[in-house]
């Protein structure tokens, strides 16, 4: 999937449509939500000597997350845009 370098989209800071510059973010894998409720519970249960609970292993995912950073040309505000995993490859056209 090809993405144009300049995208005109809504900027929440300017409150109107502005031209945005697309920039690819090389960040893959799972969402890092270290303070999520499930993570806190797991840490509490696995801490200490007793109550040993098996560590959950992360399933190996076939594709990486598709994330594109859009930078507003007017105010410089950055917005993250996620594309579905079904898109195998993302390229930014120059
Ligand atoms: Zn803006």
């Amino acid at each position: 999937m090809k993405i144009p370098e300049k995208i005109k989209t809504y900027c929440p800071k300017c409150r109107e449509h502005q031209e945005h510059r697309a920039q690819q973010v090389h960040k893959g894998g799972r969402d890092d939500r270290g303070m999520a409720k499930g993570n806190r519970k797991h840490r509490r249960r696995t801490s200490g000597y007793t109550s040993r609970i098996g560590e959950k292993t992360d399933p190996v995912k076939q594709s990486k997350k598709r994330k594109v950073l859009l930078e507003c040309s007017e105010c410089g505000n950055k917005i993250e845009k996620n594309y579905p995993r079904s898109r195998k490859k993302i390229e930014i056209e120059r």
Side-chain angles (χ1 to χ4, degrees):
M1 190 193 177
K2 281 183 178 174
I3 299 165
E5 198 188 4
K6 281 178 181 174
I7 300 168
K8 200 170 187 191
T9 187
Y10 180 74
C11 173
K13 209 173 177 185
C14 303
R15 289 188 174 183
E16 57 183 64
H17 275 66
Q18 296 287 2
E19 200 134 277
H20 284 72
R21 205 164 58 86
Q23 200 179 358
Q24 203 165 3
V25 184
H26 295 280
K27 215 176 183 183
R30 296 168 68 90
D31 288 332
D32 189 41
R33 294 175 63 217
M35 288 307 284
K37 179 147 196 197
N39 280 337
R40 297 199 309 260
K41 188 179 179 184
H42 181 70
R43 224 172 288 142
R44 197 183 337 113
R45 288 165 89 187
T46 52
S47 67
Y49 294 105
T50 52
S51 68
R52 186 173 285 177
I53 293 155
E55 291 256 327
K56 268 187 193 170
T57 51
D58 291 352
V60 179
K61 291 199 172 166
Q62 295 288 311
S63 58
K64 282 184 176 171
K65 251 186 139 175
R66 317 265 160 256
K67 206 177 261 184
V68 171
L69 209 65
L70 299 174
E71 195 181 346
C72 177
S73 58
E74 287 292 313
C75 65
N77 186 38
K78 283 174 184 169
I79 335 164
E80 271 181 9
K81 191 170 168 66
N82 287 313
Y83 285 91
R85 281 180 190 272
S86 55
R87 310 286 184 272
K88 277 278 170 198
K89 202 175 181 182
I90 277 186
E91 275 178 47
I92 292 168
E93 280 182 314
R94 304 230 173 254

